[in-house]
Amino acid sequence: MSDYLIKKYAGLTPYVPGEQPRDRVFIKLNTNESPFPPSPGVAAAVEKEAGNLALYSDPECTDLRAALAAKLGVKAENLLMTNGSDEILYFAFSAFADRERPLVFPDVTYGFYKVLAGLIGVPYTEMPTDETLAVRPEDYAGGRRTVVLANPNAPTGLSLPLSTIGDIVKNNDGVVIVDEAYIAFGGESALPLVEKYDNLIVTRTFSKSRSMAGARLGFAVANEALIRDMNALKYAQNPYNVNRMTAAAGIAAIREDGYYLGNCARIRETREKTAAALTELGFTVLPSDTNFLFIKRHGLDGAGYYAALRDKGILVRHFDTARLKSHVRVTIGTSGQMTRFLEATKEIIKEKEV
Ligand SMILES: *Cc1c(COP(=O)(O)O)cnc(C)c1O
């Protein structure tokens, strides 16, 4: 810390992203990226758009929003495009949460919520998940609060049914943000509720299911008034938040959606096979609606298992907190990668004699 950092940020705890190692080739199952490359049209669109980089990007993302609106069956006015979906969370927390409408989210969820609340300086309450790490819906209904729920949730992979999400939205006086980063892999989307409720924001990302984590593209679907409020923040902060190449990539990806739906189906199939194999090996595997599995095994501590896999060239994610430290989170890769992962796991069980 320099002598110049202002007091407000002295205690800031940053989000710790999963490793992106550069020294060695790993099988990377640690940050929930897609194991498949973007569709062919994406590379072509990016290359073409590179010729226009002298000009600022379109702050309205007109073409991208039109393509996405048509795909989702919503109006362009219901969409806000952002630099990754993390940016929407920033706009939404800033616009809709304060001391009078504090944030609530589960104690086991995406770690970024807490970090962002700290940055913005909004009070938050973490509602305890139950002994199975499931969200308890009754904790989120009632009152004037800003609710944030990842559905399906991370790092557990568990999801709440649409009827439950609907009840939470209906019975809350504040804004409810449903983070659907993983919805392409399972669970029920809250998108049909956007028309019905003026306090619901659904956020999605091209990072996981659309193989575009490096492009940084996310979006919000909400009632027009909420989108206008968040747009005001965007124009105050960074009007050109989505760059030209990313917008072009997004349009191409929407056009080639069939490719991605095929990939998601393969990932779901590989997930179920991997889960069955892990269960066979004595693991407890949470039922997952995502592109990852949250697992633990009696006699195998999370940190040790993580380190042993790393030694064998496989990266997974370990969270060193009281409730999560016995687990690891494993992103579903290609079926070949998962075979390698299962072999390594068998070796580790044998080596450790557990
Ligand atoms: C990965 C992830 C995001 C962020 O995605 P970006 O669009 O890459 O910023 C948001 N929410 C959850 C729950 C995630 O796991």
Side-chain angles (χ1 to χ4, degrees):
M1 194 197 311
S2 78
D3 291 342
Y4 305 102
L5 184 69
I6 60 170
K7 254 204 230 108
K8 180 167 117 178
Y9 295 134
L12 189 70
T13 323
Y15 179 70
V16 184
E19 301 161 81
Q20 300 286 1
R22 306 175 59 101
D23 54 332
R24 158 174 179 202
V25 181
F26 283 93
I27 293 180
K28 227 179 142 292
L29 309 177
N30 67 332
T31 46
N32 298 342
E33 291 142 325
S34 174
F36 304 112
S39 55
V42 167
V46 168
E47 187 168 346
K48 181 152 172 267
E49 197 58 35
N52 296 326
L53 285 181
L55 304 174
Y56 280 109
S57 58
D58 170 15
E60 301 279 322
C61 294
T62 313
D63 296 340
L64 177 54
R65 279 197 305 145
L68 193 56
K71 172 66 66 195
L72 298 175
V74 300
K75 287 185 291 181
E77 292 74 27
N78 296 121
L79 293 173
L80 173 66
M81 308 306 302
T82 52
N83 188 320
S85 65
D86 286 346
E87 194 182 40
I88 306 167
L89 299 172
Y90 175 73
F91 295 149
F93 287 17
S94 305
F96 307 117
D98 65 4
R99 206 159 289 282
E100 268 108 67
R101 277 165 305 185
L103 289 162
V104 278
F105 43 79
D107 63 343
V108 175
T109 192
Y110 186 33
F112 193 64
Y113 302 152
K114 199 158 49 169
V115 171
L116 200 51
L119 173 73
I120 299 169
V122 182
Y124 61 87
T125 309
E126 295 172 272
M127 296 294 181
T129 44
D130 72 15
E131 61 290 346
T132 67
L133 298 179
V135 168
R136 297 188 313 186
E138 61 274 21
D139 290 346
Y140 301 89
R144 195 172 163 79
R145 301 170 306 177
T146 306
V147 171
V148 195
L149 290 172
N151 198 46
N153 198 12
T156 59
L158 303 171
S159 65
L160 294 172
L162 179 60
S163 56
T164 303
I165 295 286
D167 285 344
I168 292 172
V169 177
K170 190 165 70 186
N171 296 314
N172 211 291
D173 293 334
V175 165
V176 176
I177 301 160
V178 180
D179 179 345
E180 295 190 349
Y182 297 104
I183 198 71
F185 304 104
E188 293 178 290
S189 174
L191 221 53
L193 302 181
V194 165
E195 241 178 60
K196 203 163 156 197
Y197 297 111
D198 66 2
N199 63 331
L200 170 64
I201 300 173
V202 176
T203 73
R204 297 232 186 132
T205 177
F206 281 65
S207 293
K208 316 287 169 41
S209 58
R210 265 64 189 175
S211 304
M212 277 175 53
R216 314 304 304 128
L217 184 60
F219 61 94
V221 190
N223 162 278
E224 272 182 68
L226 292 182
I227 295 289
R228 269 199 303 275
D229 292 342
M230 290 191 283
N231 245 317
L233 276 146
K234 165 185 141 141
Y235 277 85
Q237 209 236 357
N238 183 10
Y240 307 107
N241 62 336
V242 177
N243 73 69
R244 278 185 171 272
M245 291 188 292
T246 294
I251 294 168
I254 293 164
R255 226 173 260 149
E256 296 176 322
D257 208 34
Y259 165 82
Y260 297 101
L261 296 179
N263 288 347
C264 292
R266 279 151 81 184
I267 288 170
R268 284 197 302 269
E269 196 185 310
T270 307
R271 175 185 75 205
E272 294 314 308
K273 281 189 186 150
T274 307
L278 285 166
T279 307
E280 191 80 6
L281 290 174
F283 281 83
T284 304
V285 182
L286 286 188
S288 170
D289 276 324
T290 61
N291 66 339
F292 57 82
L293 293 170
F294 203 50
I295 63 171
K296 66 172 179 182
R297 188 181 184 278
H298 186 70
L300 202 59
D301 84 287
Y305 178 38
Y306 157 85
L309 282 170
R310 197 178 198 287
D311 284 345
K312 294 179 187 292
I314 298 170
L315 279 184
V316 298
R317 192 84 201 260
H318 177 250
F319 299 92
D320 197 11
T321 67
R323 290 201 73 190
L324 305 183
K325 65 177 195 292
S326 55
H327 290 77
V328 302
R329 190 194 68 192
V330 185
T331 304
I332 303 301
T334 61
S335 81
Q337 288 176 325
M338 299 325 280
T339 302
R340 227 357 251 127
F341 158 76
L342 288 167
E343 280 165 10
T345 295
K346 276 181 215 159
E347 288 163 21
I348 292 163
I349 291 171
K350 208 160 164 197
E351 285 158 16
K352 294 190 185 278
E353 289 176 358
V354 290

